[in-house]
Amino acid sequence: MNAFTQFNNVTPYNIVDGKVQAEYVTDGYREGLKFLNKLVEEGLLDTTSFTQDIAQLKQLFENEECAVIGVLPAGGPNAFANMTGTRYHDYVVIPPLEGPDGFQLTAYMPDNMMMYECFLTSACENPLAVFKYFDAFYSEDVSMRSRYGEPGVDWVIPPEASKNLLARYENTLKEHYRNSLILLIGNLPRSLLLVGINTLVFWMPYFSVELFLRSFIAWLMIGFSLVCYGDMIVLRPIFQQLEKQAQSQGQ
């Protein structure tokens, strides 16, 4: 398209006479589409070019019998070729195409910094100060501010009492069983109800074998979902109580 209009498919907008212009509605873009259509009609442009993904392009490029692609646009051979192969060595870089009116551009796509990276240029007068500045972003204070906001306004550090509460409920195997036992004894009626719900299917034959056999298929289909739903109804009030206790202690 850059043989007909200034076009970058990542950001297809330009500033023309102080106004934003969408290049895909310009006359130049329309002429470019006509040219692509002409190439397709003459069998010079593969129709799959408009729909194929990178994997399909690489498979076409690496055709075992012979090279079937004459020319293609890409930022580098890794975009279309197997870099452990040799076929891409047979291709050379060509200048941007020139359109019928002498229009000839190429998209400008400079290198970008990746996340967690920074550049120190040769023009930097105090590299150590700049390094310390960027290194500060890895400190706990700056990390907390950038992620959660202003301390004391958007978040608070838990008081010592809630820290002890957090330590009590550490997710270790020992604490897991200890806390489960505390919850079980502290909510004994609900604990017994949970046992009844989860073992109901095993007790049904003792009450009615006929009812059990008739409902067995239905139990396989929805029984486990019903058990989970019943467990949720029983357990939710317990956790709501724990949530209120945690909130009252500033956790």
Side-chain angles (χ1 to χ4, degrees):
M1 280 300 169
N2 281 279
F4 298 90
T5 186
Q6 182 179 351
F7 184 75
N8 185 338
N9 62 339
V10 178
T11 54
Y13 306 98
N14 295 312
I15 303 297
V16 180
D17 297 329
K19 296 182 179 180
V20 177
Q21 175 177 281
E23 290 300 321
Y24 46 79
V25 296
T26 62
D27 292 337
Y29 192 87
R30 188 177 293 107
E31 292 301 316
L33 291 178
K34 290 180 181 179
F35 179 70
L36 291 176
N37 184 67
K38 179 175 179 292
L39 293 179
V40 172
E41 289 180 344
E42 295 177 357
L44 298 175
L45 179 60
D46 188 356
T47 56
T48 62
S49 302
F50 303 100
T51 56
Q52 66 187 355
D53 57 21
I54 297 299
Q56 293 169 326
L57 175 61
K58 286 188 174 183
Q59 184 178 11
L60 186 64
F61 182 85
E62 297 292 347
N63 180 56
E64 294 183 358
E65 297 182 2
C66 63
V68 295
I69 294 180
V71 62
L72 76 168
N78 61 302
F80 57 85
N82 180 5
M83 298 309 293
T84 59
T86 58
R87 171 154 302 160
Y88 72 95
H89 292 296
D90 298 331
Y91 289 74
V92 296
V93 179
I94 62 174
L97 298 180
E98 182 178 338
D101 298 329
F103 200 86
Q104 186 182 33
L105 291 178
T106 186
Y108 177 58
M109 302 180 68
D111 290 334
N112 295 320
M113 286 190 299
M114 301 297 290
M115 188 177 293
Y116 311 121
E117 291 183 353
C118 66
F119 290 151
L120 285 176
T121 70
S122 58
C124 180
E125 296 181 357
N126 195 333
L128 181 60
V130 176
F131 180 84
K132 288 182 177 181
Y133 171 76
F134 282 107
D135 189 56
F137 284 95
Y138 290 90
S139 66
E140 181 178 357
D141 178 61
V142 176
S143 297
M144 293 292 287
R145 286 175 178 269
S146 63
R147 181 179 291 268
Y148 300 114
E150 184 180 352
V153 177
D154 301 303
W155 56 275
V156 295
I157 298 177
E160 289 298 324
S162 62
K163 288 184 179 180
N164 294 334
L165 183 63
L166 288 172
R168 176 185 173 191
Y169 285 93
E170 286 181 355
N171 193 25
T172 62
L173 187 62
K174 177 182 178 181
E175 291 296 328
H176 174 76
Y177 285 108
R178 179 177 180 274
N179 294 324
S180 297
L181 184 62
I182 293 174
L183 290 175
L184 186 148
I185 297 176
N187 301 271
L188 191 58
R190 291 184 179 275
S191 300
L192 295 177
L193 182 58
L194 276 175
V195 173
I197 292 176
N198 288 276
T199 60
L200 178 62
V201 65
F202 302 105
W203 291 97
M204 283 181 61
Y206 290 95
F207 297 103
S208 175
V209 175
E210 183 180 358
L211 176 63
F212 173 76
L213 293 176
R214 288 183 177 182
S215 61
F216 183 71
I217 300 299
W219 175 261
L220 290 179
M221 295 174 62
I222 64 173
F224 295 106
S225 297
L226 290 175
V227 168
C228 292
Y229 182 72
D231 289 349
M232 181 270 294
I233 293 177
V234 175
L235 287 172
R236 184 56 189 152
I238 298 176
F239 288 103
Q240 285 178 332
Q241 181 180 1
L242 292 175
E243 290 169 1
K244 291 179 181 178
Q245 292 177 1
Q247 291 173 358
S248 65
Q249 296 182 26
Q251 181 180 339

